[in-house]
């Protein structure tokens, strides 16, 4: 963290394009992945690019998971495949409202 906030004093924001989640958000609320991005930026601050990639790998992976949800999608795919296998084997019967057989509401 710099001693003088020169950008803040001059009223400019040169590096806002670096951090996507840190930009002003609608309704003044922080973005969903803001905390993960902030941890990643703080970890790599002052380090060289090569060293930061090595030392801040966990923070970067957490940030990318929050942004892309790849691990979540993979878990959901595995759960749905297991559900389909159980349905084929006859060990599980989904409720009617999951199958679209529910009575229409007024």
């Amino acid at each position: 963290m710099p001693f003088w906030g020169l950008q803040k004093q001059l009223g400019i924001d040169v590096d806002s394009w670096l951090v996507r989640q840190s930009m002003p958000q609608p309704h003044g609320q922080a973005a969903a992945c803001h905390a993960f991005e902030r941890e990643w930026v703080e970890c790599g601050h002052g380090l060289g690019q090569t060293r930061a990639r090595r030392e801040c790998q966990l923070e970067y992976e957490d940030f990318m998971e929050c942004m892309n949800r790849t691990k979540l999608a993979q878990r959901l795919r595995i759960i749905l495949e297991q559900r389909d296998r159980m349905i084929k084997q006859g060990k599980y019967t989904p409720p009617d409202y999951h199958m679209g057989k529910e009575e229409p509401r007024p």
Side-chain angles (χ1 to χ4, degrees), residues 53-89:
R53 281 186 185 172
R54 199 172 349 114
E55 293 183 15
C56 302
Q57 185 66 30
L58 293 176
E59 287 84 356
Y60 182 71
E61 287 176 2
D62 288 343
F63 176 52
M64 284 295 109
E65 171 58 24
C66 184
M67 293 292 289
N68 300 328
R69 308 277 190 216
T70 52
K71 293 178 186 176
L72 180 70
Q74 183 181 7
R75 281 182 56 216
L76 181 61
R77 184 180 49 79
I78 291 169
I79 290 170
L80 291 176
E81 287 173 357
Q82 183 179 7
R83 183 196 67 171
D84 292 342
R85 272 196 310 267
M86 290 176 70
I87 290 173
K88 283 183 180 178
Q89 294 171 356

Side-chain angles (χ1 to χ4, degrees), residues 14-26:
V14 178
D15 55 358
S16 65
W17 60 274
L18 289 172
V19 285
R20 300 189 317 184
Q21 299 291 310
S22 300
M23 299 182 76
Q25 301 292 321

